Amino acid sequence: MREAAEEPDPPAPGQQLPHFLQDVIFHGKFKLLKALTPEENTCSQRGIYFQDGQRHVDYVLTYPVKKPIGSRTSRQPSHLLTENVLARSLRRGPHNRHSRAERVQDLSSSPPPSPGTPVEVGCQGETLNTPEDHKSFRREEFEGKLRDMGLELERDEDAKIPGVGFVKIHAPWNVLCREAEFMKLKMPTKRVYEVKQSGGLMEKISSLVNKVVEPLHPHVEEHQPKNIKHLSHTFSREKQHLFDLSDKDYFFDSKTRSSIVFEILKRTKCKAKYSMGITSLLGSGVYTAAYPLHDGDIDEESAEPNDRKLLYEEWANYSVFYKYQPIGLVRKYFGEKIGLYFAWLGLYTQMLIPASLIGVIVFLYGCATVNDNIPSMEICHPRNNITMCPLCDSVCSYWKLSTACGTARASHLFDNPATVFFSIFMALWAAMFMEHWKRRQMRLNYEWDLTGFEDEEDHPRAEYEFRVMQKSLSKHHESQHKMEKLTCKDRFPAYMTNIVMMLLMIGVTFAIVFGVILYRISTKAALYMSSNPITRSHVQLTVKTTAAIINLVVILILDEVYGAVARWLTVLEVPKTDKSFEERLIFKTFILKFVNAFSPIIYIAFFRGRLVGRPGSYLYVFESYRMEECAHGGCLMELCIQLSITMLGKQLIQNNLFEIGVPKLKKLIRYIRSKQGAFQEEERQKKLQRYETDHFLEPFAGLTPEYMEMIIQFGFVTLFVASFPLAPLFALLNNIIEIRLDAKKFVTELRRPVAARAKDIGIWYNILRGVAKVAVIINAFVISFTSDFIPRMVYQYMYSPDGSMHGFVNHTLSYFNVSHFQDGKEPMDPVRLGYSVEICRYKDYREPPWSLTPYEISKEFWAVLAVRLAFVIVFQNVVMLMNDIVDWLIPDIPKDISLQIHKEKILLVDLFMKEEQTKLRILENKASRGDKKNASRNNNNTKTTPNSELHSHSF
């Protein structure tokens, strides 16, 4: 399409073309391009290609453009600085540096500085007046470096977004080949081989299963049969003949091209002061954004078929929630790192299906046996005349144990013998999940040609190099010939700040938990003073539910605060590489968010009801707040309420509403801000090009938030599953929506991320293993200390007269003489029940008031405590041993994958041996031809020698 535009004659050597003349030439050239037919200009108008409609846009940089007042009405609609032959000759002329400086000064449109004005010298012969001039010069210098690296650039400063200029970057074939070799990218060769399937019975079963689940597979076309695979090898320019280069435009897909350009952007550095590459240029505002383009449109029916549209239809769509994910296509479009995240999330969701089924069965077992539960039957029996001691001082009165019938029956749904089995099952489930993921990960590494891939050393971060530069400038007289680096001494203030702030944030979490405790105590006392009998009868439920909701709101708020604090603390440490930065950020964020989410739950499970004291000698906070105790059904029911509200609330509000609403709100804000500039209505109605549309999308912020919410959910599923067997079911329902929600966010709401290679999920796997091991210990303590499982077993086998559970409730209640109340602590209405009370009961193992040691801890307490501790030790060691057995029995690498990897190595050796043999034959042929030529020359020489001798004799 460029041929259609008339090319001006290049300037003579040594001749400078003024900036305004460049403007006219390029502006006129763009007018001619706009005059082309719509069919010829369709591709370039989509914004995926340069103006010639042939070179693909591999990356886009945006920067602020300050327009003169009235420029929209006085100038033509568009002004493009196109990187063509003329532009290259202008930029690479003899006076390249000087002409670029002149252009910067022209763009600044500011008078020269007075002698007393401080100026910043960027390089030799360059004087910059304003920050805009400084940034413009930095851009010119950086883009000149990019051109020197072989990249081709095209600039658009008259886009439909006011105040934003775009630099489109294209990597030509020679640059792609060079960088692919440097990055050691594995590319498919011409050689294909057959992947043999396991024979016999397993093959038949596998084929049968594949036929059954065929409707669940997405309609994604495969370019080759599943049993045929290309032999892959690290790309080399010397061995290009090994690769299928019939279509060079598609040999490197868009994901690979953008990652190559991004690698060049990271590696290219300016010589100017403190300019360290694209990351620092983005941080300093020289560029405002850098992103690769999405493949095309997804909403329009007339849009050309592309991978993005296919992902939208077969993956990022709620109507296909029941189908498998097209992980191969996700990896092809977004890269291995994001592909591994969705593969992990999909496997985790699949593994939740059996856990959910078992959890529902355990819950139904509790529902089916609630009427046969003897302790709850004794509590609910109408002849039960047990009078309980007041639950608070003064305003609370005595109450009948039979009023706790509903709580006791509900507690049995989650506190029954089946929960012990379910805890063991979930511990083994976690081990199976980890082993299954390792095998799945190895299979993906093989399919994605990542076997043998090692993480390359990252480039130092711009902030790290900046600090090193500051250090070297301050010590340049001492270490001129010494490479500087940041030591522990340099980072010591940051480390101390990290420790203090982490402890402070954890202290804030504990303080808020304590505040909610005070809320429960005071609210309970206030509600018991109510004259409304309905209010008094629902005090426990009201206080539990409202306190759980308050905890949820606080958790949601602190999650956002802790995320920002963790990032700030990590920035203070100045990690050297991006990988180190990410790992440190993940560790801090996980610690803070884990403590924030589970502190209220841990308090209810292990501390509430154990720091109470006894009637007549209660434990008080601030001398007026009596510590709260559990209901007669135990704290397990309250733990279940807290777990369910926190888990469901985080999933519905934080994971779903925030993920849907926040990106849309940010996109709307950016769109409104872009409309603030005054431009014509007809321009507003024109269709935005691809790079302009992607500019309005939310920048990709990494996978840390996605992983973090799933790890916290994994904690809810495994850590306290003994008290809430329905947790896997709620997690499954959430994840079915979460997968499609995340998919839709990546495809439609976010800018396309730069494809990153990875062969595993990194530090997240270690966190998962840690959570799974801690879950075994916590569930052992929940079963033995929070539930009544151990007291029931001890009573049935040690104290029951007939070996049944009859009399268990009476056995767990101690006696108290109401005359032993402290002054001012006795009930104000002692005859609310209609009779005078002399002895009341409370839940504890203590001696009665008529014994020789009244109110002392009884021997039953020590017997139950010993059995509880023994259960924790036995449960933990047995489950850990079973986990180790599962780990040992299941190999990390599937057998068929290990065989295929071995086969690939043999085929590669065979391929190179044949190549060497071919080279030897060629050399031998050349040598034999050379020998023949030499022999023929010698023969010719021998024939001509006598004649020459005869001729010499004639003289």
Side-chain angles (χ1 to χ4, degrees), residues 387 398 816-821 830 835-840 849 855:
T387 302
Y398 306 106
F816 177 73
N817 191 333
V818 298
S819 61
H820 296 162
F821 271 122
Y835 55 87
S836 177
V837 178
E838 296 181 357
I839 297 292
C840 66
Y855 307 124

Side-chain angles (χ1 to χ4, degrees), residues 612-850:
V612 178
R614 61 170 180 82
S617 181
Y618 284 114
L619 179 65
Y620 290 89
V621 180
F622 303 137
E623 298 182 357
S624 58
Y625 293 98
R626 189 178 111 186
M627 289 300 293
E628 53 186 349
E629 51 189 303
C630 298
H632 184 75
C635 283
L636 203 68
M637 189 61 195
E638 297 182 33
L639 179 61
C640 177
I641 292 174
Q642 181 69 56
L643 264 172
S644 59
I645 291 179
T646 304
M647 182 178 179
L648 293 176
K650 277 181 68 67
Q651 290 180 166
L652 291 176
I653 299 175
Q654 190 177 45
N655 299 356
N656 294 332
L657 291 181
F658 282 7
E659 286 192 13
I660 295 173
V662 172
K664 289 186 178 295
L665 183 61
K666 290 182 178 179
K667 182 179 177 181
L668 179 62
I669 292 173
R670 280 194 301 273
Y671 189 73
I672 292 174
R673 285 180 178 176
S674 71
K675 295 289 184 181
Q676 290 178 357
F679 56 98
Q680 298 175 3
E681 183 68 24
E682 58 185 26
E683 288 184 334
R684 185 183 304 176
Q685 294 176 356
K686 290 180 181 178
K687 182 180 178 182
L688 295 176
Q689 299 197 39
R690 178 79 268 147
Y691 53 88
E692 296 171 322
T693 305
D694 288 0
H695 179 74
F696 289 114
L697 300 179
E698 179 74 8
F700 175 64
L703 289 171
T704 299
E706 313 300 333
Y707 273 114
M708 188 63 67
E709 67 184 59
M710 288 296 106
I711 297 296
I712 297 297
Q713 185 200 84
F714 184 78
F716 282 118
V717 168
T718 56
L719 292 177
F720 294 93
V721 73
S723 61
F724 192 38
L726 294 179
L729 176 63
F730 290 130
L732 173 64
L733 297 176
N734 173 80
N735 287 4
I736 291 174
I737 302 173
E738 179 75 19
I739 290 175
R740 307 303 165 179
L741 181 63
D742 283 348
K744 195 166 187 177
K745 181 173 68 174
F746 272 84
V747 174
T748 64
E749 301 293 338
L750 297 180
R751 292 174 187 163
R752 187 175 184 177
V754 178
R757 288 187 296 170
K759 66 176 184 178
D760 53 38
I761 59 175
I763 192 176
W764 297 110
Y765 182 80
N766 298 327
I767 293 176
L768 282 170
R769 287 187 67 88
V771 171
K773 291 186 180 299
V774 171
V776 176
I777 302 172
I778 287 184
N779 279 302
F781 276 95
V782 168
I783 293 170
S784 59
F785 284 92
T786 308
S787 73
D788 283 337
F789 175 76
I790 298 300
R792 287 197 298 262
M793 295 298 101
V794 171
Y795 174 78
Q796 185 173 1
Y797 294 107
M798 292 180 63
Y799 298 105
S800 176
D802 55 358
S804 68
M805 292 300 296
H806 289 286
F808 170 73
V809 174
N810 188 62
H811 176 77
T812 58
L813 297 177
S814 298
Y815 295 88
F816 177 73
N817 191 333
V818 298
S819 61
H820 296 162
F821 271 122
Q822 295 175 345
D823 293 337
K825 306 297 183 181
E826 65 276 0
M828 292 187 299
D829 186 9
V831 293
R832 176 175 290 181
L833 297 178
Y835 55 87
S836 177
V837 178
E838 296 181 357
I839 297 292
C840 66
R841 309 289 294 275
Y842 61 98
K843 189 174 183 180
D844 205 349
Y845 290 101
R846 291 182 180 271
E847 297 291 341
W850 53 81

